[in-house]
Amino acid sequence: MPATLPDGDPVPADGALPRGATEGLGTRPFAFYVHVPFCVTRCGYCDFNTYTATELGPGASRDSYADTAIAEVRMARRVLGDADLPVETVFVGGGTPTLLPPDDLGRILAAVDAEFGLAPGAEVTTEANPESVDQAYLEGLREAGFTRVSYGMQSAREHVLKVLDRTHTPGRVPLVVDWTRKAGFEHVNLDLIYGTPGESDEDWRLSLEAALSTGPDHVSAYALIVEEGTRLAARVRRGELATPDDDAMADRYLMADEMLSAHGLRWYEISNWATGPGAACRHNLLYWTGADWWGVGPGAHSHVGGTRWWNVKHPAAYAARLAEGVTPAHAREVLDDADRRIERIMLELRLADGCPAALLDDAAVARAIGDGLIEAGPYRERGRAVLTTRGRLLADAVVRDLT
Ligand SMILES: C[S@@+](CC[C@H](N)C(=O)[O-])C[C@H]1O[C@@H](n2cnc3c(N)ncnc32)[C@H](O)[C@@H]1O
Ligand code: SF4
C-alpha cells in the first residue's frame, strides 16, 4: 500500500456510486476485504497502512475498531441497495488482524453475513502473525466462521527474521500450523519472503523446506521489495545492508517453483502455489478476475463495476467519518475501457490460466512466443496467453510489451 493516497474524483458524502457501477450488481461475484491497521511493532521493510500503539494517537483504538468496521459494512449495504449480493469470500488482512480478539473479528464477519449473507461454502480468511495466536484463539476463529488462516512466516532462518524485524522464532511456525489444523482449519497458507539482505541460497532452501514440512495447502513467496521511506530502505541506502542482484533473485524464484512443485504445490499465480484448485485463494482470484469487492477499513480499496475508491488512511479520520455517518472514501476513479483492458492484462497474465488472446495484439504475442516468454500451445489451442517459466521471471517486462 503506497505511503500517500492517490488523488482522484470526489465521492459524495453518502458514498453513492455512479450509475454505471451499480448496473450488473449481483451478476459478478462479490467479496469483502477488511483491513485491521494495528501491529505491535513495525517491521523495517513494511509500508502497509498499520499503526503501533504509540503511532496511533487519539481518536481511534483497537477496542472500538470492530464497531467502526461494522458501521462501514452497514453503510456498504445502504450504498449497494437491495441487490442480492451473496458474499463469496471475506479476507481480513493487516496490519495484524489477530491483535483483535476472535470475538471482534467474528462480529465483523457476522455483520457481513447479516447485511449481505455469506454464500454457501464461502471462503473466510484471516492473516495472522505466528506470535499472535494460540490454540484457544484459533478455536475461537473457527467458531466465528473462519475457514482459512494465512501466516506471515517469511523465513525459517533466525538471522533473516532479525533483519526483517520479525518477532517470532522459527520454531513457532510448525507449532501454530499444528494448532490451526487441530482447531479444524483445512486451509493454511504460509507467506515467505526471499531476497532479504544476508539471506543465502541455502537459507532460502531451508526456509522452503521448513515451510513444506508443516504441510500447508498454499504458499505465497514474494521477492522482498525495498519500499521507499522504510527503515530497510534507509539501511540499504547507507550501505549497511546489501540486497541480492536480479540473477540471485531469479535463482531463488526458480528454487521455490521447483521445490514447491516437487511437493505437489503448483503455481496458479506468479507468487502463489496451491495443492489443487480447491486450495487456491478464492479471494485473490476474485481480485485478479475483475469481481466486485468492498474494502472496509482505513486506506482500504474497493472496486464495484469499474469504479474504484479508497478510504482515508488514518484510523482516527476513518472513525470520525463513520461516526458522522459520512462515507470514509477519500476519492475514486472510474475506469474507462482502455484502463480496464490494461488492468485485465496486468492481472490475468500473472495467472497459470493466462489471459484471453482477444485482449492482446497478435504480433506482440508472436514476438513474446518467439522470445520464449509465452507458451505457444495454450495460445494456439485455447486462445490463452500463458507465461513460460522464463516469462514469469520477466513478467513486468512482458506486460509492458503487451499493453
Ligand atoms: C503486510 S503483511 C500483513 C500480515 C501480517 N502482519 C504479516 O506480516 O505477516 C502481508 C504479507 O505481505 C508481504 N510483504 C509485506 N511487505 C513486503 C515487502 N516490502 N516485500 C515483500 N513482501 C512484503 C509479507 O510476506 C507479508 O506476509
Ligand atoms: S507485522 Fe506485518 S503488517 Fe505489521 S509491520 Fe510487520 S509486515 Fe507490516
Side-chain angles (χ1 to χ4, degrees):
M1 194 169 294
T4 52
L5 286 173
D7 294 331
D9 303 328
V11 180
D14 63 1
L17 292 171
R19 186 193 299 268
T22 45
E23 272 165 19
L25 254 183
T27 60
R28 300 173 294 264
F30 182 57
F32 263 91
Y33 171 74
V34 179
H35 189 67
V36 179
F38 311 115
C39 285
V40 174
T41 53
R42 177 177 290 273
C43 308
Y45 63 95
C46 177
D47 79 338
F48 277 60
N49 190 34
T50 187
Y51 302 81
T52 63
T54 45
E55 286 169 348
L56 193 57
S61 74
R62 280 187 212 167
D63 291 347
S64 56
Y65 187 71
D67 288 323
T68 309
I70 289 168
E72 190 181 357
V73 172
R74 293 186 180 140
M75 179 172 281
R77 181 76 274 187
R78 290 196 295 277
V79 169
L80 297 174
D82 50 13
D84 187 21
L85 284 172
V87 178
E88 303 289 332
T89 64
V90 180
F91 192 103
V92 182
T96 307
T98 43
L99 282 184
L100 298 186
D103 280 359
D104 279 7
L105 299 183
R107 285 199 300 121
I108 301 171
L109 183 60
V112 170
D113 194 22
E115 296 296 333
F116 292 90
L118 290 171
E123 176 193 88
V124 184
T125 305
T126 185
E127 289 183 333
N129 288 26
E131 70 282 6
S132 67
V133 294
D134 59 19
Q135 177 83 67
Y137 188 99
L138 291 160
E139 282 163 8
L141 279 182
R142 190 75 192 99
E143 274 160 31
F146 283 78
T147 65
R148 188 170 179 274
V149 185
S150 172
Y151 287 107
M153 170 176 173
Q154 321 309 356
S155 172
R157 305 296 286 157
E158 210 153 346
H159 70 101
V160 175
L161 290 172
K162 189 157 182 277
V163 172
L164 293 174
D165 297 326
R166 300 300 299 208
T167 55
H168 63 272
T169 55
R172 183 79 184 172
V173 173
L175 205 58
V176 295
V177 173
D178 188 42
W179 291 335
T180 312
R181 297 285 186 213
K182 285 188 178 135
F185 285 93
E186 191 189 342
H187 300 298
V188 178
N189 170 59
L190 298 176
D191 277 351
L192 294 172
I193 287 183
Y194 58 94
T196 299
E199 180 191 63
S200 64
D201 288 347
E202 181 61 3
D203 288 326
W204 178 231
R205 193 185 67 72
L206 290 168
S207 291
L208 286 162
E209 214 163 66
L212 284 164
S213 71
T214 69
D217 67 339
H218 191 289
V219 170
S220 302
Y222 303 112
L224 178 69
I225 301 169
V226 180
E227 302 279 5
E228 277 300 307
T230 59
R231 246 186 354 260
L232 176 70
R235 293 180 72 191
V236 169
R237 212 178 24 254
R238 287 199 297 268
E240 278 171 42
L241 297 172
T243 49
D245 63 24
D246 289 350
D247 287 347
M249 294 299 256
D251 287 347
R252 289 198 197 150
Y253 180 84
L254 294 175
M255 192 191 290
D257 194 42
E258 273 164 33
M259 287 179 63
L260 295 168
S261 306
H263 284 78
L265 287 109
R266 281 174 296 281
W267 80 284
Y268 69 96
E269 193 272 349
I270 288 183
S271 305
N272 290 279
W273 289 260
T275 50
C281 177
R282 280 164 53 199
H283 185 81
N284 283 338
L285 282 168
L286 291 186
Y287 282 159
W288 297 326
T289 52
D292 291 336
W293 78 86
W294 191 291
V296 169
H301 287 230
S302 302
H303 168 262
V304 172
T307 294
R308 261 200 306 235
W309 69 95
W310 44 96
N311 285 349
V312 291
K313 232 182 130 183
H314 198 280
Y318 172 74
R321 293 269 198 114
L322 283 158
E324 288 163 18
V326 170
T327 174
H330 171 74
R332 73 182 178 201
E333 63 186 354
V334 178
L335 303 179
D336 63 20
D337 288 348
D339 297 329
R340 290 170 94 160
R341 172 184 163 270
I342 291 173
E343 177 136 322
R344 281 194 66 186
I345 297 171
M346 279 171 54
L347 296 172
E348 293 181 39
L349 201 58
R350 296 175 61 90
L351 300 173
D353 198 31
C355 160
L359 292 177
L360 304 170
D361 171 51
D362 278 340
V365 177
R367 270 198 312 278
I369 291 175
D371 291 341
L373 299 168
I374 285 184
E375 305 273 7
Y379 194 68
R380 263 199 308 269
E381 289 146 27
R382 296 189 287 118
R384 310 286 299 185
V386 175
L387 293 172
T388 60
T389 306
R390 192 173 119 77
R392 280 191 267 158
L393 293 171
L394 299 169
D396 292 344
V398 181
V399 166
R400 268 198 304 278
D401 273 6
L402 291 179
T403 49

Short mmCIF file of all heavy atoms in Angstrom, two decimals, residues 291-342:
data_model
loop_
_atom_site.label_atom_id
_atom_site.label_comp_id
_atom_site.label_asym_id
_atom_site.label_seq_id
_atom_site.Cartn_x
_atom_site.Cartn_y
_atom_site.Cartn_z
N ALA A 291 -13.80 -9.17 -10.17
CA ALA A 291 -15.04 -9.23 -9.38
C ALA A 291 -15.30 -7.88 -8.71
O ALA A 291 -14.49 -6.95 -8.80
CB ALA A 291 -14.90 -10.32 -8.31
N ASP A 292 -16.45 -7.77 -8.03
CA ASP A 292 -16.74 -6.61 -7.20
C ASP A 292 -16.29 -6.91 -5.77
O ASP A 292 -16.53 -8.03 -5.29
CB ASP A 292 -18.26 -6.34 -7.17
CG ASP A 292 -18.78 -5.86 -8.53
OD1 ASP A 292 -17.98 -5.31 -9.32
OD2 ASP A 292 -19.99 -6.04 -8.78
N TRP A 293 -15.63 -5.96 -5.14
CA TRP A 293 -15.35 -6.16 -3.71
C TRP A 293 -15.41 -4.83 -2.98
O TRP A 293 -15.16 -3.78 -3.56
CB TRP A 293 -13.99 -6.83 -3.49
CG TRP A 293 -12.81 -5.94 -3.61
CD1 TRP A 293 -12.27 -5.15 -2.63
CD2 TRP A 293 -12.02 -5.72 -4.78
NE1 TRP A 293 -11.19 -4.46 -3.13
CE2 TRP A 293 -11.01 -4.80 -4.44
CE3 TRP A 293 -12.06 -6.22 -6.08
CZ2 TRP A 293 -10.06 -4.36 -5.35
CZ3 TRP A 293 -11.11 -5.78 -6.99
CH2 TRP A 293 -10.13 -4.88 -6.62
N TRP A 294 -15.80 -4.95 -1.70
CA TRP A 294 -15.86 -3.77 -0.83
C TRP A 294 -14.75 -3.90 0.18
O TRP A 294 -14.67 -4.91 0.90
CB TRP A 294 -17.22 -3.70 -0.13
CG TRP A 294 -17.42 -2.37 0.55
CD1 TRP A 294 -16.75 -1.91 1.65
CD2 TRP A 294 -18.31 -1.32 0.17
NE1 TRP A 294 -17.16 -0.63 1.98
CE2 TRP A 294 -18.13 -0.25 1.08
CE3 TRP A 294 -19.24 -1.17 -0.87
CZ2 TRP A 294 -18.84 0.95 1.00
CZ3 TRP A 294 -19.96 0.03 -0.94
CH2 TRP A 294 -19.75 1.07 -0.01
N GLY A 295 -13.88 -2.90 0.25
CA GLY A 295 -12.78 -2.90 1.21
C GLY A 295 -13.15 -2.05 2.42
O GLY A 295 -13.34 -0.84 2.30
N VAL A 296 -13.27 -2.68 3.57
CA VAL A 296 -13.60 -1.99 4.82
C VAL A 296 -12.31 -1.63 5.53
O VAL A 296 -11.39 -2.44 5.61
CB VAL A 296 -14.43 -2.96 5.71
CG1 VAL A 296 -14.57 -2.41 7.13
CG2 VAL A 296 -15.79 -3.23 5.09
N GLY A 297 -12.26 -0.40 6.09
CA GLY A 297 -11.11 -0.06 6.93
C GLY A 297 -10.32 1.11 6.38
O GLY A 297 -10.45 1.47 5.20
N PRO A 298 -9.48 1.73 7.23
CA PRO A 298 -8.67 2.86 6.78
C PRO A 298 -7.74 2.46 5.65
O PRO A 298 -7.06 1.44 5.75
CB PRO A 298 -7.90 3.28 8.04
CG PRO A 298 -8.11 2.21 9.04
CD PRO A 298 -9.28 1.40 8.65
N GLY A 299 -7.72 3.28 4.60
CA GLY A 299 -6.83 3.01 3.46
C GLY A 299 -7.29 1.86 2.58
O GLY A 299 -6.64 1.59 1.56
N ALA A 300 -8.39 1.19 2.91
CA ALA A 300 -8.81 0.04 2.10
C ALA A 300 -9.33 0.50 0.74
O ALA A 300 -9.94 1.57 0.63
CB ALA A 300 -9.90 -0.74 2.84
N HIS A 301 -9.08 -0.30 -0.27
CA HIS A 301 -9.54 -0.02 -1.63
C HIS A 301 -10.76 -0.89 -1.95
O HIS A 301 -10.86 -2.01 -1.45
CB HIS A 301 -8.45 -0.35 -2.64
CG HIS A 301 -7.32 0.64 -2.65
ND1 HIS A 301 -6.84 1.23 -3.80
CD2 HIS A 301 -6.59 1.16 -1.63
CE1 HIS A 301 -5.87 2.07 -3.49
NE2 HIS A 301 -5.69 2.03 -2.18
N SER A 302 -11.66 -0.37 -2.79
CA SER A 302 -12.84 -1.13 -3.21
C SER A 302 -12.96 -1.04 -4.72
O SER A 302 -12.40 -0.14 -5.37
CB SER A 302 -14.11 -0.53 -2.61
OG SER A 302 -14.04 -0.51 -1.20
N HIS A 303 -13.72 -1.99 -5.28
CA HIS A 303 -13.98 -1.96 -6.72
C HIS A 303 -15.38 -2.50 -6.99
O HIS A 303 -15.70 -3.62 -6.60
CB HIS A 303 -12.96 -2.84 -7.47
CG HIS A 303 -13.38 -3.07 -8.90
ND1 HIS A 303 -14.03 -4.21 -9.31
CD2 HIS A 303 -13.27 -2.27 -9.99
CE1 HIS A 303 -14.30 -4.11 -10.61
NE2 HIS A 303 -13.84 -2.95 -11.04
N VAL A 304 -16.20 -1.68 -7.61
CA VAL A 304 -17.54 -2.15 -7.99
C VAL A 304 -17.81 -1.67 -9.41
O VAL A 304 -17.84 -0.46 -9.69
CB VAL A 304 -18.64 -1.64 -7.02
CG1 VAL A 304 -20.03 -1.99 -7.56
CG2 VAL A 304 -18.46 -2.24 -5.62
N GLY A 305 -17.98 -2.61 -10.32
CA GLY A 305 -18.39 -2.31 -11.69
C GLY A 305 -17.54 -1.25 -12.37
O GLY A 305 -18.09 -0.35 -13.04
N GLY A 306 -16.22 -1.32 -12.22
CA GLY A 306 -15.34 -0.39 -12.94
C GLY A 306 -15.11 0.92 -12.20
O GLY A 306 -14.38 1.78 -12.69
N THR A 307 -15.74 1.11 -11.02
CA THR A 307 -15.40 2.27 -10.18
C THR A 307 -14.55 1.78 -9.02
O THR A 307 -14.87 0.77 -8.38
CB THR A 307 -16.68 2.96 -9.63
OG1 THR A 307 -17.38 3.52 -10.73
CG2 THR A 307 -16.33 4.07 -8.64
N ARG A 308 -13.43 2.47 -8.82
CA ARG A 308 -12.52 2.10 -7.72
C ARG A 308 -12.49 3.26 -6.75
O ARG A 308 -12.44 4.42 -7.16
CB ARG A 308 -11.10 1.95 -8.30
CG ARG A 308 -10.73 0.54 -8.56
CD ARG A 308 -9.24 0.36 -8.66
NE ARG A 308 -8.57 1.22 -9.60
CZ ARG A 308 -7.80 0.77 -10.57
NH1 ARG A 308 -7.64 -0.52 -10.76
NH2 ARG A 308 -7.17 1.62 -11.37
N TRP A 309 -12.51 2.98 -5.45
CA TRP A 309 -12.32 4.06 -4.48
C TRP A 309 -11.44 3.58 -3.34
O TRP A 309 -11.21 2.38 -3.18
CB TRP A 309 -13.65 4.62 -4.00
CG TRP A 309 -14.48 3.71 -3.15
CD1 TRP A 309 -14.52 3.68 -1.79
CD2 TRP A 309 -15.43 2.73 -3.59
NE1 TRP A 309 -15.42 2.74 -1.36
CE2 TRP A 309 -15.99 2.13 -2.44
CE3 TRP A 309 -15.86 2.29 -4.84
CZ2 TRP A 309 -16.95 1.13 -2.50
CZ3 TRP A 309 -16.81 1.28 -4.90
CH2 TRP A 309 -17.35 0.72 -3.75
N TRP A 310 -10.95 4.55 -2.58
CA TRP A 310 -10.03 4.21 -1.49
C TRP A 310 -10.36 5.11 -0.30
O TRP A 310 -10.69 6.28 -0.45
CB TRP A 310 -8.57 4.33 -1.92
CG TRP A 310 -8.25 5.55 -2.72
CD1 TRP A 310 -7.75 6.72 -2.25
CD2 TRP A 310 -8.44 5.72 -4.14
NE1 TRP A 310 -7.60 7.62 -3.29
CE2 TRP A 310 -8.01 7.03 -4.45
CE3 TRP A 310 -8.91 4.91 -5.17
CZ2 TRP A 310 -8.05 7.54 -5.76
CZ3 TRP A 310 -8.96 5.42 -6.47
CH2 TRP A 310 -8.52 6.71 -6.75
N ASN A 311 -10.29 4.49 0.87
CA ASN A 311 -10.69 5.18 2.11
C ASN A 311 -9.58 6.07 2.64
O ASN A 311 -8.39 5.86 2.34
CB ASN A 311 -11.05 4.15 3.18
CG ASN A 311 -12.41 3.51 2.92
OD1 ASN A 311 -13.17 3.97 2.07
ND2 ASN A 311 -12.71 2.46 3.66
N VAL A 312 -9.97 7.03 3.50
CA VAL A 312 -8.98 7.86 4.19
C VAL A 312 -8.05 6.93 4.96
O VAL A 312 -8.44 5.84 5.38
CB VAL A 312 -9.65 8.86 5.16
CG1 VAL A 312 -10.40 9.92 4.38
CG2 VAL A 312 -10.55 8.17 6.16
N LYS A 313 -6.81 7.42 5.13
CA LYS A 313 -5.78 6.50 5.60
C LYS A 313 -5.70 6.34 7.11
O LYS A 313 -5.45 5.24 7.62
CB LYS A 313 -4.43 7.04 5.10
CG LYS A 313 -3.65 5.99 4.39
CD LYS A 313 -2.32 6.50 3.95
CE LYS A 313 -1.27 5.51 4.40
NZ LYS A 313 0.06 5.93 4.09
N HIS A 314 -5.91 7.41 7.84
CA HIS A 314 -5.67 7.30 9.28
C HIS A 314 -6.90 6.73 10.01
O HIS A 314 -8.03 7.14 9.75
CB HIS A 314 -5.28 8.66 9.88
CG HIS A 314 -4.62 8.48 11.22
ND1 HIS A 314 -5.34 8.25 12.38
CD2 HIS A 314 -3.31 8.44 11.58
CE1 HIS A 314 -4.50 8.08 13.38
NE2 HIS A 314 -3.26 8.18 12.92
N PRO A 315 -6.67 5.79 10.95
CA PRO A 315 -7.81 5.20 11.67
C PRO A 315 -8.68 6.23 12.39
O PRO A 315 -9.89 6.04 12.50
CB PRO A 315 -7.14 4.26 12.68
CG PRO A 315 -5.82 3.91 12.06
CD PRO A 315 -5.38 5.13 11.30
N ALA A 316 -8.08 7.36 12.87
CA ALA A 316 -8.89 8.37 13.56
C ALA A 316 -9.80 9.09 12.57
O ALA A 316 -10.99 9.31 12.85
CB ALA A 316 -7.98 9.35 14.29
N ALA A 317 -9.27 9.44 11.40
CA ALA A 317 -10.09 10.12 10.38
C ALA A 317 -11.18 9.17 9.88
O ALA A 317 -12.34 9.57 9.68
CB ALA A 317 -9.20 10.55 9.20
N TYR A 318 -10.82 7.92 9.76
CA TYR A 318 -11.77 6.89 9.32
C TYR A 318 -12.93 6.76 10.32
O TYR A 318 -14.11 6.80 9.96
CB TYR A 318 -11.01 5.57 9.18
CG TYR A 318 -11.85 4.35 8.93
CD1 TYR A 318 -12.42 4.12 7.67
CD2 TYR A 318 -12.08 3.42 9.95
CE1 TYR A 318 -13.19 2.99 7.45
CE2 TYR A 318 -12.85 2.29 9.72
CZ TYR A 318 -13.40 2.07 8.47
OH TYR A 318 -14.17 0.97 8.25
N ALA A 319 -12.58 6.67 11.61
CA ALA A 319 -13.60 6.52 12.66
C ALA A 319 -14.48 7.77 12.72
O ALA A 319 -15.71 7.67 12.88
CB ALA A 319 -12.93 6.26 14.01
N ALA A 320 -13.86 8.95 12.56
CA ALA A 320 -14.63 10.20 12.67
C ALA A 320 -15.66 10.27 11.54
O ALA A 320 -16.82 10.64 11.76
CB ALA A 320 -13.68 11.40 12.60
N ARG A 321 -15.26 9.89 10.33
CA ARG A 321 -16.20 9.94 9.20
C ARG A 321 -17.40 9.03 9.47
O ARG A 321 -18.54 9.42 9.26
CB ARG A 321 -15.51 9.45 7.92
CG ARG A 321 -14.41 10.36 7.42
CD ARG A 321 -14.96 11.38 6.45
NE ARG A 321 -13.87 11.94 5.69
CZ ARG A 321 -13.72 11.78 4.38
NH1 ARG A 321 -14.59 11.08 3.67
NH2 ARG A 321 -12.71 12.34 3.76
N LEU A 322 -17.12 7.82 9.92
CA LEU A 322 -18.22 6.87 10.12
C LEU A 322 -19.11 7.31 11.28
O LEU A 322 -20.33 7.14 11.23
CB LEU A 322 -17.68 5.46 10.31
CG LEU A 322 -17.27 4.85 8.97
CD1 LEU A 322 -16.28 3.71 9.16
CD2 LEU A 322 -18.49 4.35 8.19
N ALA A 323 -18.51 7.92 12.31
CA ALA A 323 -19.30 8.39 13.45
C ALA A 323 -20.29 9.48 12.99
O ALA A 323 -21.38 9.60 13.54
CB ALA A 323 -18.39 8.92 14.54
N GLU A 324 -19.89 10.24 11.97
CA GLU A 324 -20.79 11.28 11.43
C GLU A 324 -21.75 10.74 10.38
O GLU A 324 -22.52 11.49 9.80
CB GLU A 324 -19.96 12.39 10.77
CG GLU A 324 -19.20 13.28 11.73
CD GLU A 324 -18.10 14.06 11.02
OE1 GLU A 324 -18.14 14.19 9.76
OE2 GLU A 324 -17.19 14.52 11.71
N GLY A 325 -21.63 9.47 10.07
CA GLY A 325 -22.50 8.87 9.04
C GLY A 325 -22.08 9.25 7.63
O GLY A 325 -22.86 9.17 6.68
N VAL A 326 -20.81 9.67 7.48
CA VAL A 326 -20.30 10.11 6.18
C VAL A 326 -19.38 9.02 5.63
O VAL A 326 -18.69 8.33 6.40
CB VAL A 326 -19.50 11.43 6.38
CG1 VAL A 326 -18.73 11.80 5.13
CG2 VAL A 326 -20.43 12.54 6.80
N THR A 327 -19.37 8.87 4.31
CA THR A 327 -18.50 7.84 3.71
C THR A 327 -17.04 8.05 4.11
O THR A 327 -16.55 9.19 4.11
CB THR A 327 -18.60 7.85 2.17
OG1 THR A 327 -17.62 6.92 1.68
CG2 THR A 327 -18.29 9.20 1.56
N PRO A 328 -16.33 6.97 4.42
CA PRO A 328 -14.89 7.11 4.68
C PRO A 328 -14.06 7.16 3.40
O PRO A 328 -12.83 7.26 3.46
CB PRO A 328 -14.56 5.84 5.48
CG PRO A 328 -15.56 4.84 5.03
CD PRO A 328 -16.81 5.59 4.66
N ALA A 329 -14.73 7.12 2.23
CA ALA A 329 -13.97 7.14 0.97
C ALA A 329 -13.25 8.47 0.81
O ALA A 329 -13.84 9.53 1.01
CB ALA A 329 -14.90 6.89 -0.21
N HIS A 330 -11.99 8.42 0.43
CA HIS A 330 -11.18 9.63 0.23
C HIS A 330 -11.38 10.16 -1.19
O HIS A 330 -11.52 11.36 -1.41
CB HIS A 330 -9.72 9.27 0.48
CG HIS A 330 -8.74 10.34 0.11
ND1 HIS A 330 -8.58 11.48 0.86
CD2 HIS A 330 -7.87 10.44 -0.93
CE1 HIS A 330 -7.66 12.24 0.30
NE2 HIS A 330 -7.21 11.63 -0.79
N ALA A 331 -11.38 9.27 -2.16
CA ALA A 331 -11.51 9.68 -3.56
C ALA A 331 -11.81 8.42 -4.39
O ALA A 331 -11.73 7.31 -3.87
CB ALA A 331 -10.22 10.33 -4.06
N ARG A 332 -12.15 8.65 -5.67
CA ARG A 332 -12.44 7.49 -6.52
C ARG A 332 -12.05 7.77 -7.96
O ARG A 332 -11.76 8.91 -8.34
CB ARG A 332 -13.91 7.11 -6.43
CG ARG A 332 -14.85 8.05 -7.15
CD ARG A 332 -16.28 7.59 -6.94
NE ARG A 332 -17.25 8.48 -7.56
CZ ARG A 332 -18.52 8.54 -7.20
NH1 ARG A 332 -18.99 7.78 -6.23
NH2 ARG A 332 -19.35 9.36 -7.82
N GLU A 333 -12.06 6.71 -8.77
CA GLU A 333 -11.84 6.88 -10.20
C GLU A 333 -12.73 5.89 -10.95
O GLU A 333 -13.02 4.81 -10.45
CB GLU A 333 -10.37 6.67 -10.58
CG GLU A 333 -9.87 5.28 -10.31
CD GLU A 333 -8.37 5.13 -10.55
OE1 GLU A 333 -7.73 6.08 -11.03
OE2 GLU A 333 -7.85 4.05 -10.24
N VAL A 334 -13.17 6.33 -12.14
CA VAL A 334 -13.99 5.44 -12.96
C VAL A 334 -13.10 4.98 -14.11
O VAL A 334 -12.53 5.80 -14.84
CB VAL A 334 -15.23 6.20 -13.50
CG1 VAL A 334 -16.05 5.28 -14.40
CG2 VAL A 334 -16.08 6.70 -12.33
N LEU A 335 -12.94 3.67 -14.23
CA LEU A 335 -12.05 3.13 -15.26
C LEU A 335 -12.76 3.15 -16.61
O LEU A 335 -13.93 2.77 -16.70
CB LEU A 335 -11.67 1.70 -14.92
CG LEU A 335 -11.00 1.46 -13.57
CD1 LEU A 335 -10.69 -0.02 -13.36
CD2 LEU A 335 -9.72 2.27 -13.47
N ASP A 336 -12.06 3.61 -17.66
CA ASP A 336 -12.68 3.51 -18.99
C ASP A 336 -12.25 2.18 -19.62
O ASP A 336 -11.51 1.39 -19.01
CB ASP A 336 -12.31 4.72 -19.85
CG ASP A 336 -10.82 4.82 -20.11
OD1 ASP A 336 -10.12 3.80 -19.97
OD2 ASP A 336 -10.34 5.93 -20.45
N ASP A 337 -12.74 1.94 -20.85
CA ASP A 337 -12.49 0.63 -21.46
C ASP A 337 -11.00 0.36 -21.63
O ASP A 337 -10.53 -0.78 -21.44
CB ASP A 337 -13.19 0.53 -22.83
CG ASP A 337 -14.70 0.41 -22.65
OD1 ASP A 337 -15.13 0.17 -21.49
OD2 ASP A 337 -15.43 0.57 -23.64
N ALA A 338 -10.23 1.40 -21.98
CA ALA A 338 -8.78 1.20 -22.18
C ALA A 338 -8.11 0.83 -20.86
O ALA A 338 -7.28 -0.10 -20.80
CB ALA A 338 -8.16 2.48 -22.76
N ASP A 339 -8.50 1.53 -19.76
CA ASP A 339 -7.93 1.20 -18.44
C ASP A 339 -8.26 -0.25 -18.06
O ASP A 339 -7.42 -0.97 -17.52
CB ASP A 339 -8.53 2.06 -17.31
CG ASP A 339 -8.25 3.54 -17.48
OD1 ASP A 339 -7.21 3.87 -18.03
OD2 ASP A 339 -9.11 4.35 -17.04
N ARG A 340 -9.50 -0.64 -18.35
CA ARG A 340 -9.94 -1.98 -17.93
C ARG A 340 -9.21 -3.06 -18.70
O ARG A 340 -8.87 -4.10 -18.15
CB ARG A 340 -11.45 -2.12 -18.08
CG ARG A 340 -12.17 -1.28 -17.05
CD ARG A 340 -13.64 -1.19 -17.29
NE ARG A 340 -14.35 -2.22 -16.53
CZ ARG A 340 -15.65 -2.15 -16.24
NH1 ARG A 340 -16.37 -1.14 -16.64
NH2 ARG A 340 -16.22 -3.10 -15.55
N ARG A 341 -8.93 -2.78 -19.98
CA ARG A 341 -8.17 -3.76 -20.77
C ARG A 341 -6.77 -3.93 -20.19
O ARG A 341 -6.30 -5.05 -19.97
CB ARG A 341 -8.09 -3.31 -22.24
CG ARG A 341 -7.18 -4.17 -23.08
CD ARG A 341 -7.01 -3.69 -24.51
NE ARG A 341 -5.84 -4.32 -25.12
CZ ARG A 341 -4.62 -3.81 -25.09
NH1 ARG A 341 -4.39 -2.65 -24.51
NH2 ARG A 341 -3.62 -4.46 -25.65
N ILE A 342 -6.10 -2.80 -19.91
CA ILE A 342 -4.73 -2.87 -19.37
C ILE A 342 -4.73 -3.60 -18.02
O ILE A 342 -3.89 -4.46 -17.76
CB ILE A 342 -4.13 -1.45 -19.25
CG1 ILE A 342 -3.89 -0.90 -20.65
CG2 ILE A 342 -2.84 -1.44 -18.43
CD1 ILE A 342 -3.46 0.54 -20.70
#
